[in-house]
Amino acid sequence: MSSLRTHDDTWDIKTSVGTTAVMVAAARAVESERPDALIRDPYAKLLVTNAGAGVLWEALLDPEVAAKVEKLDAESAAHIEHIRGYQAVRTHFFDTYFKDAVADGIRQVVILASGLDSRAYRLDWPAGTTVFEIDQPEVLAYKSTTLAENGVTPSADRREVAIDLRQDWPTALRAAGFDPLVRTAWLAEGLLMYLPAEAQDRLFTLVGELSPAGSRVSAETAPSHADERRQQMRERFRKVAEEIGLEETVDVGELMYRDEHRADVTAWLNDHGWRAHAQHSTDEMRRLGRWIEGIVLADDKDAFSDFVIGERL
């Protein structure tokens, strides 16, 4: 269980789970500026710098901060570099998933817990594509308002579904124009680790009920961290942050639910009307040249997520 979570907690972009969207956007912003970038997100930096979620996430955009961390603690620096690389690889994987889905004729997309995901704006969607984004009302409002005020418009028919996924989101989704008889591409990225095990099962059950044959679903699984080793790394990073004057507003690890009874996503999907397969994130990181040698937990495969894709039978 997570010590910071309750069954009815809520958040905006500056608090709790909302701040993790800023962290992910910061990593995308850094990747986008690399000469060998795996992805290009021209809106990530804008969404981070306007969020007011604390100096730590903005610091991730600053190469001078990275140099200071490297000087103080090489292992902490490697961990930060790993986080950036992981987010780049994860984004690349799911971008490709959507490109493949629309190439197969799918024109209805649902992004679950969309956070600061900018795919509705930055991907080249075919004409007639509708992208539904489900998330907390204040998170969706921050993103759409910030981008609109800066002249950014969606590249698809983007529709907000402002609701907590623990509530009756299928009804809200239908009210926004979702058609359960049409093939759909679903995405659960950066989500499952913030759900209890039973909520994960319910989420995929509802997705299945709304998915005709030929629909697709993709997900990032919740890693199984070794708490003792994770805490050791947290303490090291906290000391480094204090040394260079950075304030960490939230411990992301404490927002996650660690449940030994959580279902294996690939197996669950294969048992419930889908044909699914998984790509381990560390393999994908190595394939794309973003793996960092010598990081904490590198020898513990369960500490890293799978990227799963399933097709409805």
Side-chain angles (χ1 to χ4, degrees):
M1 286 292 293
S2 167
S3 61
L4 297 183
R5 304 294 308 285
T6 62
H7 75 282
D8 59 353
D9 57 339
T10 188
W11 51 84
D12 58 18
I13 202 64
K14 300 179 184 180
T15 58
S16 187
V17 177
T19 65
T20 67
V22 183
M23 175 191 70
V24 173
R28 291 200 308 268
V30 172
E31 177 68 20
S32 296
E33 295 180 354
R34 289 180 57 141
D36 60 344
L38 295 175
I39 56 103
R40 299 286 181 185
D41 186 341
Y43 314 120
K45 188 172 184 178
L46 172 67
L47 291 169
V48 173
T49 55
N50 283 273
V55 295
L56 179 62
W57 303 142
E58 292 185 35
L60 290 177
L61 303 177
D62 188 348
E64 293 185 5
V65 171
K68 289 179 182 178
V69 175
E70 174 70 34
K71 187 176 181 180
L72 288 169
D73 187 341
E75 190 168 351
S76 290
H79 184 64
I80 293 173
E81 184 64 22
H82 166 77
I83 292 173
R84 291 174 174 171
Y86 173 82
Q87 296 297 339
V89 168
R90 185 180 83 170
T91 302
H92 178 272
F93 184 91
F94 294 124
D95 281 1
T96 302
Y97 159 73
F98 278 134
K99 290 173 184 177
D100 291 344
V102 297
D104 189 45
I106 291 177
R107 295 293 182 268
Q108 186 165 255
V109 170
V110 180
I111 303 177
L112 302 159
S114 59
L116 297 184
D117 185 310
S118 63
R119 291 186 176 95
Y121 297 84
R122 65 179 178 81
L123 293 187
D124 185 17
W125 298 102
T129 302
T130 302
V131 179
F132 296 90
E133 296 189 7
I134 304 178
D135 211 321
Q136 297 273 353
E138 292 184 68
V139 174
L140 290 174
Y142 166 73
K143 177 169 61 179
S144 58
T145 299
T146 300
L147 293 177
E149 288 176 347
N150 286 274
V152 181
T153 57
S155 54
D157 178 5
R158 175 180 176 269
R159 303 188 189 182
E160 295 185 355
V161 184
I163 191 170
D164 192 303
L165 283 168
R166 293 165 296 188
Q167 299 170 356
D168 184 12
W169 61 265
T171 296
L173 183 61
R174 287 192 184 94
F178 175 84
D179 186 348
L181 301 180
V182 172
R183 290 195 305 150
T184 302
W186 302 83
L187 177 61
E189 176 188 24
L191 167 60
L192 301 185
M193 63 284 292
Y194 303 114
L195 295 178
E198 65 275 10
Q200 174 180 299
D201 291 350
R202 176 167 172 74
L203 178 77
F204 286 120
T205 297
L206 293 172
V207 167
E209 292 173 356
L210 295 169
S211 299
S215 293
R216 301 185 184 190
V217 64
S218 195
E220 172 195 19
T221 65
S224 177
H225 292 291
D227 285 348
E228 181 178 352
R229 297 179 71 181
R230 183 186 66 82
Q231 187 59 32
Q232 290 172 355
M233 195 65 223
R234 291 290 315 117
E235 290 299 326
R236 292 185 65 165
F237 184 75
R238 186 175 291 113
K239 289 178 182 179
V240 171
E242 291 175 354
E243 184 72 20
I244 60 179
L246 295 178
E247 180 183 359
E248 184 178 17
T249 56
V250 65
D251 181 347
V252 174
E254 286 300 313
L255 298 173
M256 300 179 183
Y257 287 92
R258 293 178 290 280
D259 191 334
E260 62 182 10
H261 301 297
R262 184 184 299 274
D264 177 274
V265 174
T266 306
W268 192 98
L269 290 172
N270 282 324
D271 288 341
H272 290 81
W274 301 80
R275 180 174 56 247
H277 65 276
Q279 172 77 351
H280 199 270
S281 60
T282 59
D283 294 336
E284 191 71 354
M285 291 181 75
R286 289 185 172 93
R287 185 180 75 83
L288 295 174
R290 290 295 186 270
W291 178 253
I292 305 298
E293 297 294 344
I295 61 169
V296 172
L297 302 177
D299 58 344
D300 182 3
K301 197 167 186 178
D302 289 341
F304 301 91
S305 300
D306 282 336
F307 303 144
V308 180
I309 294 178
E311 182 174 1
R312 192 68 167 160
L313 301 176

